[in-house]
């Protein structure tokens, strides 16, 4: 089974990314379950705005789109800015909007029988909202979102340290991250064995 | 298999409920798939505010809680007020918050291996947000939310007719309602055959 | 000038309310600015669901509605449950929805030239979202929301102490609460001197 | 007085923009009130991700930032994608986040005594949520959001025509757009005459 981590940090490599660090915990757990895990850091790629899969002319989304379709599990990882998913995350969702009209050989939306979960970091507040916004959009596209398929880290109230600058609450985030990996893998396995059939 | 429709209309019986009418479409589809469908109209019951399963003293939630646990499929149906899930819907979510610490014989949260979807009505705008808010909360509690497990009806911009007062867009809502029933049933069936195991 | 604090805690008096404690900081600041501050704890009152100002038959909302109209400043205070405003808060917003069609002597919506701000408590995460949800609804009804007219307290990630059980971050919440009072008072004063006129 | 329309369409010039068309209605009304209105279509500019005002190296944000500070009124106009503000809108909010720590000569956040409103288009659903998300973020930064300072157009349920492809509901959007202009101008005028003072 394959999983793809989409890191929606605003920062390019090689700047350290808190979001990557937390997502890596989930990736490591998925690896222990024999899942082949890949990561794409979207800020490193040229992804113009739009709602089609291929906008031509240097657009790097088509390759990312293929990686998404090669993966039964999607780990969507975003920082929190102004309480929202990052602009990089929203850009990815917009490009994934095209998947709504892409179907498999049996006429099902391509996202069917795939699962997704959400990783969120931030230095203040907003994780549950970011999780709901992203999960809602992915469910719209056709992803199944297993129960408790998320982890997050933040520390309110007000401005404070980043995830990498403190140990506060790391145990909580690691524990929910481990459950997230377990639940993503379990539901992906169930849907592989008993897929959602085409509607008659 | 059993499904429960929680109708979160602000109106009591026997006042007609647009939300009920749309939820019934989903219920009928589930019935065609041999699911045993029950409905609770929450406004008909005394459900005091709180975050425990039994608040004593005339609290009617414990019986509803049992119906929830008797059902593999939950259809959460809410009108849209001020762009949000109704206060009756939020009340139900608050009471369901207690399910976070209720576990089955193997130590899993009781909502694991259950699926949920959302039905939304309104005369203006707001359905996708209501779906995300409710799905996000149910995912928190442990429900798996299948892809495209929602239907809605509204008609913007501005005030206008209710669902029952026009035929505009009923075909869309019926089609998504049918997909919703199909996806709820399919994923519930997959999780029955291949359940999320307890975490080791 | 008058201000009204609507405390949307799920708990009735005399149970201590974290939300009240934080709202009181704002109330005290408003008092220092010579504002006459009153508080209503909604859970102590019988407020049936609906979207009309008077539902008859023991409905206690009409008296609250009068207090709202007697106040130039509204402090809307809610705990966070499942990442959302409480069901008591949403109930109040639904009842306030009727204010959309209530106009003053010059035909303006009754909420015009009034200001509102939001106080949020919770033991985890979600304050900014709760603020946006409530502010958005109050803006819809016609309230002006001054910049930085909010304060909140929470402490993520995951479950933890309540506001009253720790000193963590109290200074932040007090500082933003003081700004909130200042901004509510300043904008209310500006609108008293230079009101939004009726539209010609 | 000056107003700036930030058009957050995903599309570059000269492609027609529904969002621009609706925002122009508001701009025209502001013009009738003698406001000097300018428009920036963000997709035409190179705005890299980040949360600082000047990211150097071809970054076109600093010029936009100056236009924002030259304007007492901000009209934030966004299409709806996946039920959310566009990635271009979120990008702008992230860049505006830096304004939180920029202060005027008296130590007030630079957004104080400025007002903002939101214009939303979409072909389905989601306007109120987009308005709340954007207003909430702008309020965080320090903008005052007058009551009913928004207009929107969409038409649910499901996919359908764009704003420019139908006349359905245009009267509603024009009427709320006119109120929006009136309220933005009125509250901006009030804050010019009676500004929020620095906190002592």
């Amino acid at each position: 089974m394959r999983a793809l981590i989409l890191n929606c940090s605003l920062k390019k490599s090689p700047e350290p990314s808190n979001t990557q660090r937390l997502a890596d915990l989930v990736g490591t757990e998925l690896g222990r379950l024999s899942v082949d895990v890949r990561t794409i850091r979207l800020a490193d790629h040229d992804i113009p705005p739009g709602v089609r899969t291929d906008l031509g002319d240097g657009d790097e989304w088509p390759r990312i789109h293929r990686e998404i379709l090669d993966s039964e599990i999607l780990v969507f990882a975003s920082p929190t800015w102004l309480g929202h998913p990052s602009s990089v995350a929203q850009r990815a969702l917009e490009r994934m909007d095209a998947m709504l009209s892409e179907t498999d050989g049996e006429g099902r939306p391509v996202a069917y029988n795939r699962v997704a979960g959400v990783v969120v970091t931030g230095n203040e507040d907003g994780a549950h909202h970011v999780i709901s916004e992203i999960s809602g959009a992915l469910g719209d596209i056709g992803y199944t979102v297993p129960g408790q398929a998320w982890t997050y880290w933040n520390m309110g109230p007000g401005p404070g340290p980043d995830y990498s600058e403190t140990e506060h609450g790391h145990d909580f985030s690691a524990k929910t991250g481990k459950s997230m990996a377990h639940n993503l893998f379990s539901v992906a396995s169930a849907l592989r064995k008993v897929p959602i059939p085409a509607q008659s």
Side-chain angles (χ1 to χ4, degrees), chain A:
Chain A
M1 201 173 298
R2 284 177 70 173
L4 179 65
I5 297 173
L6 284 184
N7 175 0
C8 301
S9 169
L10 299 185
K11 294 178 285 192
K12 295 186 187 209
S13 302
E15 248 191 288
S17 157
N18 292 294
T19 303
Q20 188 66 53
R21 255 194 77 179
L22 183 53
D24 281 345
L25 281 188
V26 179
T28 300
E29 279 300 312
L30 286 169
R32 294 196 330 122
L33 297 162
S34 304
V35 177
D36 172 19
V37 183
R38 303 178 182 206
T39 295
I40 297 178
R41 187 157 167 176
L42 293 175
D44 291 340
H45 298 277
D46 186 13
I47 306 171
V51 290
R52 294 206 315 277
T53 290
D54 192 344
L55 294 169
D57 207 19
D59 181 8
E60 296 185 44
W61 183 257
R63 188 180 73 73
I64 298 167
H65 175 260
R66 274 194 301 279
E67 293 275 1
I68 290 172
L69 293 191
D70 281 347
S71 307
E72 289 93 342
I73 297 173
L74 180 66
V75 174
F76 206 104
S78 179
T80 310
W81 287 109
L82 282 306
H84 308 165
S86 76
S87 58
V88 173
Q90 176 62 15
R91 178 72 46 92
L93 292 173
E94 288 163 0
R95 299 303 300 271
M96 292 176 77
D97 194 57
M99 292 168 63
L100 265 169
S101 42
E102 295 169 4
T103 48
D104 66 13
E106 302 189 41
R108 295 169 295 197
V110 288
Y112 271 41
N113 295 314
R114 299 180 198 275
V115 300
V118 185
V119 172
V120 182
T121 52
N123 73 11
E124 186 166 347
D125 172 77
H128 284 85
H129 179 52
V130 171
I131 292 165
S132 287
E133 292 283 276
I134 294 174
S135 303
L138 294 174
D140 229 37
I141 292 167
Y143 278 91
T144 288
V145 179
Q148 300 182 355
W150 50 264
T151 188
Y152 80 94
W153 186 89
N154 65 23
M155 182 180 175
D162 288 329
Y163 176 64
S164 303
E165 296 168 347
T166 174
E167 290 301 313
H168 169 84
H170 279 214
D171 47 348
F172 170 82
S173 305
K175 185 163 172 286
T176 48
K178 196 173 168 182
S179 296
M180 174 182 179
H182 176 79
N183 295 346
L184 284 170
F185 177 74
S186 300
V187 177
S189 301
L191 291 175
R192 168 176 279 189
K193 284 182 199 133
V194 191
I196 305 173
Q199 253 177 281
S200 52

